[in-house]
Amino acid sequence: MFAAYFRLEQIEDLFTVSHVRFNREIKGNGLFGRMNRIRLIGALTGRSSLHLMLDPWAFMEAEMIPEGLQKWVSIPARLLRTALVIGGLLLLCHSFYWLCTTLSKPLSGLKILCIATLIACFILALLAVLVRVYVSLFKLEELESFLLDSYFVGRNRRMLGEGVYGRYSRLSHISTMLLLSDKFLSISDPGAIKGIARLPLPLQRIVTIPNRMLAYSIAGFGVIYFCATFFKLLN
């Protein structure tokens, strides 16, 4: 909130070409409008979103924000990530407690099957995340070497850094790029098209397979949990 009221104009004045300069008229100067404007600028300094990639000039201008001002716009994202991690850990602890409590009671065969399937989906998702972490730590440079002409790959290396979260985010962006059409890339990142075409199939697989495993396991967990809750199988 401090950044939204006392640093926003100073930061927005640095954007002279991209759509950011119009946010003042679009979002307004109210409390939520200013916070939304600072959030959008913060998104330009962190992980790149698909809809924002359509304006690469915004990311280029965001790179020019002085480090002192970048800290102000990155604080909300860091707080949100911290809250999500804490919430996830609390949910995991609650789920483990529920599992121990449930298994201590007599269970029907269908209920055991539902619980076993949920556990399998969770383990599959965890394995997919661990594989992605491994790839981000030991295969990322090899992947990025084929995408040297991509602006966003270079930008992610500069802005996201070499930490575990930064490397994981850089890998996530590459996995997203593999799913994008040439039409989208021709607008957002034309330099990446030839690099993706040169990317060897084994490297593509170590990116896409864990990504699909994670997506399918999360979707499967959600569907099974919803159905089990709807039919009161977990009560």
Side-chain angles (χ1 to χ4, degrees):
M1 189 177 293
F2 177 86
Y5 272 97
F6 298 102
R7 293 288 185 269
L8 183 57
E9 281 75 14
Q10 184 181 358
I11 297 172
E12 285 183 334
D13 288 341
L14 300 173
F15 293 85
T16 59
V17 179
S18 62
H19 72 278
V20 177
R21 68 186 191 277
F22 300 115
N23 284 345
R24 189 176 305 173
E25 290 76 18
I26 298 173
K27 305 296 182 181
N29 271 316
L31 173 62
F32 291 104
R34 296 180 72 88
M35 293 184 68
N36 195 20
R37 284 155 59 189
I38 202 71
R39 181 188 62 81
L40 291 173
I41 294 175
L44 296 173
T45 62
R47 294 180 62 171
S48 50
S49 303
L50 285 180
H51 68 284
L52 294 177
M53 285 176 59
L54 292 173
D55 187 5
W57 286 104
F59 289 93
M60 296 178 189
E61 291 182 317
E63 288 194 65
M64 305 303 294
I65 299 176
E67 185 177 353
L69 292 177
Q70 282 190 20
K71 292 179 180 179
W72 286 107
V73 298
S74 63
I75 287 175
R78 292 179 181 177
L79 292 176
L80 179 60
R81 287 199 300 268
T82 303
L84 289 175
V85 170
I86 294 174
L89 292 175
L90 291 175
L91 181 61
L92 187 62
C93 293
H94 175 74
S95 300
F96 183 74
Y97 173 77
W98 173 85
L99 181 63
C100 294
T101 304
T102 303
L103 293 178
S104 64
K105 302 175 183 178
L107 301 175
S108 64
L110 188 58
K111 192 170 185 177
I112 293 175
L113 179 62
C114 288
I115 294 175
T117 307
L118 290 174
I119 294 174
C121 289
F122 174 78
I123 293 175
L124 186 63
L126 182 61
L127 289 175
V129 171
L130 292 177
V131 171
R132 285 168 61 86
V133 171
Y134 170 82
V135 173
S136 68
L137 293 177
F138 300 103
K139 295 291 184 179
L140 185 59
E141 281 76 12
E142 185 178 359
L143 285 164
E144 290 180 338
S145 66
F146 290 92
L147 300 165
L148 296 178
D149 294 330
S150 167
Y151 163 72
F152 280 101
V153 170
R155 175 259 175 199
N156 289 342
R157 191 184 301 115
R158 293 187 297 271
M159 299 294 288
L160 298 178
E162 295 292 333
V164 176
Y165 174 78
R167 295 178 71 89
Y168 190 90
S169 299
R170 286 156 58 186
L171 177 66
S172 297
H173 181 81
I174 293 176
S175 65
T176 302
M177 290 172 62
L178 294 176
L179 301 175
L180 297 176
S181 64
D182 288 347
K183 182 179 180 180
F184 186 93
L185 288 174
S186 65
I187 299 173
S188 60
D189 195 3
I193 297 177
K194 292 183 179 179
I196 292 176
R198 294 195 307 266
L199 201 62
L201 187 59
L203 285 179
Q204 291 188 33
R205 286 174 176 170
I206 65 173
V207 174
T208 56
I209 291 177
N211 199 37
R212 291 176 180 175
M213 285 175 55
L214 181 60
Y216 293 153
S217 59
I218 292 175
F221 187 96
V223 170
I224 294 170
Y225 182 81
F226 174 78
C227 293
T229 303
F230 181 79
F231 292 106
K232 299 181 180 180
L233 297 176
L234 298 178
N235 294 335

